[in-house]
């Protein structure tokens, strides 16, 4: 009967190994799908956000540099009533 103890299988380690392998396969599948979507749909979300933020900054800077003319100005280009 003591010789039968050598045939014991550790199923817990097998389950863990199988679970880890399943997780790795799922992660690889998600990465492949993400790569295909990047090609299919263009820019990533981070790139879109960066471009949007840059556009906001450019508009804000341009608005700050814009010259506002007064109605009482002596500027000949602004004189429209003569």
């Amino acid at each position: 009967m003591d010789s039968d103890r050598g045939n014991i299988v550790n199923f817990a380690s097998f389950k863990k190994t199988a679970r880890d392998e399943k997780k790795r396969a799922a992660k690889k599948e998600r990465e492949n799908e993400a790569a295909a979507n990047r090609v299919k749909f263009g820019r990533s979300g981070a790139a879109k956000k960066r471009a949007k933020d840059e556009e906001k900054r450019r508009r804000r800077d341009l608005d700050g540099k814009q010259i506002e003319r007064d109605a009482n100005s002596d500027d000949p280009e602004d004189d429209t009533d003569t």
Side-chain angles (χ1 to χ4, degrees), residues 3-82:
S3 63
D4 289 339
R5 287 191 170 168
N7 293 332
I8 296 175
V9 178
N10 187 355
F11 288 110
S13 67
F14 175 74
K15 282 184 176 181
K16 183 178 183 209
T17 304
R19 184 174 50 235
D20 290 345
E21 186 62 34
K22 191 182 285 188
K23 284 182 181 181
R24 277 193 289 273
K27 183 177 181 181
K28 185 67 173 170
E29 180 63 29
R30 287 192 309 266
E31 288 173 355
N32 290 340
E33 186 177 348
N37 284 341
R38 281 192 294 272
V39 170
K40 186 176 178 181
F41 295 110
R43 300 181 298 169
S44 67
K48 290 177 188 177
K49 184 178 184 319
R50 189 178 325 117
K52 184 178 174 184
D53 290 345
E54 276 187 35
E55 182 63 24
K56 280 183 180 178
R57 182 186 54 81
R58 285 188 192 130
R59 287 185 184 274
R60 188 177 56 240
D61 289 347
L62 185 62
D63 287 344
K65 294 175 183 176
Q66 188 173 8
I67 298 174
E68 296 181 11
R69 300 193 185 266
D70 293 338
N72 298 329
S73 176
D74 291 336
D75 191 5
E77 293 178 1
D78 195 33
D79 196 20
T80 57
D81 56 340
T82 55

